[in-house]
Structures are given as C-alpha cells and as structure tokens.
Amino acid sequence: DAKTTQPPSMDCAEGRAANLPCNHSTISGNEYVYWYRQIHSQGPQYIIHGLKNNETNEMASLIITEDRKSSTLILPHATLRDTAVYYCIVRVAGSQGNLIFGKGTKLSVKP
Amino acid sequence: ETGVTQTPRHLVMGMTNKKSLKCEQHLGHNAMYWYKQSAKKPLELMFVYNFKEQTENNSVPSRFSPECPNSSHLFLHLHTLQPEDSALYLCASSQAFPGQGNSPLHFGNGTRLTVT
C-alpha cells in the first residue's frame, strides 16, 4: 500500500495561504492522491484529488510533484472555518480502491 | 447538507440492547461504506457494499451486522456491544470505488455511539 506522511499539526494566520504537505514516496503510477478534511464533530469532507497534473477547484489547489512522490494542498486564503484535520490519502491497492485514512494534519487557523 | 444522512446523531445503549444505525444517500451512488472513528484514532473501514453486495468485511466482530437493502440505504445492526465500541460511526457513499475513476467518498456526519 502506498502510505502517506503528513506533519501532525500546522498553524496559519487568517487570510494567508495554508500550504499542507504530504509525502507519498511509494505511490504507484495509477494511484490517485485525495485530500479530505474533517471539521470537529462532522464527517470528513472531500476537497480535491489528482493523478499527475495540478488541480484547482473552488476550495483549494493541489500541487503534485513531477515524480509524484509528494504533494501540497493549498488553501489560498484561510479562514477560521478552515480549522480542521486534513487527510492526504492514496488509493489502497488490492482492496477494491477503498480509502484508508491516516492521522492527518491538524490545521489551526488563527486570527 | 452532505447528501448522506445518518440517524440517529447520538445513541446511548446498554451492552444487552439491540439497536440499528441508518444511513441514506441521495446522490445516486452505487457504493456505500461504514467507517468507525474512535477517540484519537484514524478512521477504520468496517464494511463496503457495491450494488447492494458486500464486497469487504474488514475483520469486524459479528456483534456488528450490516444490511444494504438497496443502493440508497445502509444499516448497521448492533447487539451485545462492549464499552470499547463507543465511537463515531460514519457512513459514506461513492459513485464507484475511489481510485478507479474520479469518485470521491461523500460522508454523513455520523452517529455518536456510547455503550454503557
């Protein structure tokens, strides 16, 4: 299984960009990188995913390195409501594609 | 509104009780999942259903019994639980298995279960 490594916690000032790193050095060529977040007392929320190219949607941008061994989730203008645990996940081979969540990064956005 | 609705939001039950958790998705998805989230632990996948057929049981004790009568509904029947089963139980759905396309999981807000 491709495993991911994320810092356990990060702080970000409100209004600034939050850059959340993820290492996935054993990722296979056909595995996607997914990002989810979980705000306290809620279920995880899908943010974005990608395979090779950088991706952007209304919530965030995903930058994947050329060798695909790491990626960065960018929240361009973090707000207090972005305080959450952010999970970087890659597809688990041999389990019919089910996602396995690690411990994630606890992002604290501060005024 | 996430498109995935779980009831009840909170449940307290004794170890000899029988209860059921319900999940309904309004997204037209064909895969549904149960996850367990214990305090300070990562989410643990419990069961997977694809087109109403169970395709994965992640070594879950038999006191947890899933049921998927159709692609929109998923139940988790609980009986003779232990206090260590207290956790947040999350339901999710997807159009197809994640990673085999671009089909992310959509989660409900969970049922907070306390076993006394």
Side-chain angles (χ1 to χ4, degrees):
Chain A
D1 299 344
K3 297 181 180 175
T4 62
T5 304
Q6 298 177 255
S9 64
M10 291 181 64
D11 290 340
C12 179
E14 187 178 19
R16 304 298 292 268
N19 298 286
L20 293 97
C22 180
N23 286 322
H24 32 78
S25 58
T26 60
I27 192 171
S28 299
N30 63 346
E31 289 183 314
Y32 286 78
V33 179
Y34 288 81
W35 282 84
Y36 287 75
R37 72 179 182 184
Q38 187 172 21
I39 296 170
H40 184 61
S41 297
Q42 296 183 19
Q45 176 190 23
Y46 165 76
I47 301 173
I48 199 167
H49 73 280
L51 183 62
K52 295 180 181 178
N53 299 322
N54 298 337
E55 303 287 345
T56 296
N57 63 19
E58 65 278 4
M59 290 182 68
S61 295
L62 173 61
I63 309 298
I64 302 174
T65 57
E66 191 170 343
D67 62 7
R68 302 187 71 240
K69 293 185 177 181
S70 65
S71 60
T72 301
L73 179 75
I74 301 173
L75 308 178
H77 305 287
T79 71
L80 299 179
R81 288 177 294 180
D82 291 322
T83 292
V85 178
Y86 287 76
Y87 298 100
C88 168
I89 306 159
V90 296
R91 172 181 177 263
V92 177
S95 296
Q96 301 184 35
N98 302 314
L99 298 180
I100 303 298
F101 288 74
K103 295 184 178 179
T105 295
K106 175 72 164 79
L107 175 69
S108 298
V109 181
K110 303 191 174 180
Chain B
E1 176 58 51
T2 67
V4 179
T5 304
Q6 290 188 245
T7 54
R9 287 299 310 273
H10 300 272
L11 177 63
V12 179
M13 59 185 289
M15 289 189 286
T16 58
N17 291 161
K18 289 184 180 180
K19 296 286 185 183
S20 296
L21 309 184
K22 180 182 176 181
C23 176
E24 182 175 3
Q25 57 98 359
H26 314 277
L27 302 168
H29 291 162
N30 48 42
M32 296 188 77
Y33 311 75
W34 279 116
Y35 279 84
K36 174 184 177 182
Q37 188 172 35
S38 303
K40 302 191 186 302
K41 284 186 176 181
L43 278 78
E44 302 171 57
L45 178 65
M46 299 176 72
F47 299 106
V48 181
Y49 278 82
N50 194 27
F51 291 101
K52 303 188 299 178
E53 299 297 321
Q54 187 180 127
T55 54
E56 185 152 341
N57 176 336
N58 205 24
S59 302
V60 180
S62 60
R63 57 185 183 271
F64 295 91
S65 176
E67 178 190 1
C68 188
N70 55 61
S71 292
S72 298
H73 294 86
L74 186 64
F75 295 89
L76 188 61
H77 304 299
L78 316 170
H79 64 98
T80 60
L81 294 193
Q82 304 298 313
E84 58 265 29
D85 295 322
S86 298
L88 180 67
Y89 289 86
L90 290 157
C91 173
S93 70
S94 70
Q95 185 59 43
F97 286 112
Q100 292 182 1
N102 4 344
S103 179
L105 292 177
H106 293 256
F107 284 85
N109 283 327
T111 294
R112 174 70 62 186
L113 174 67
T114 302
V115 181
T116 61

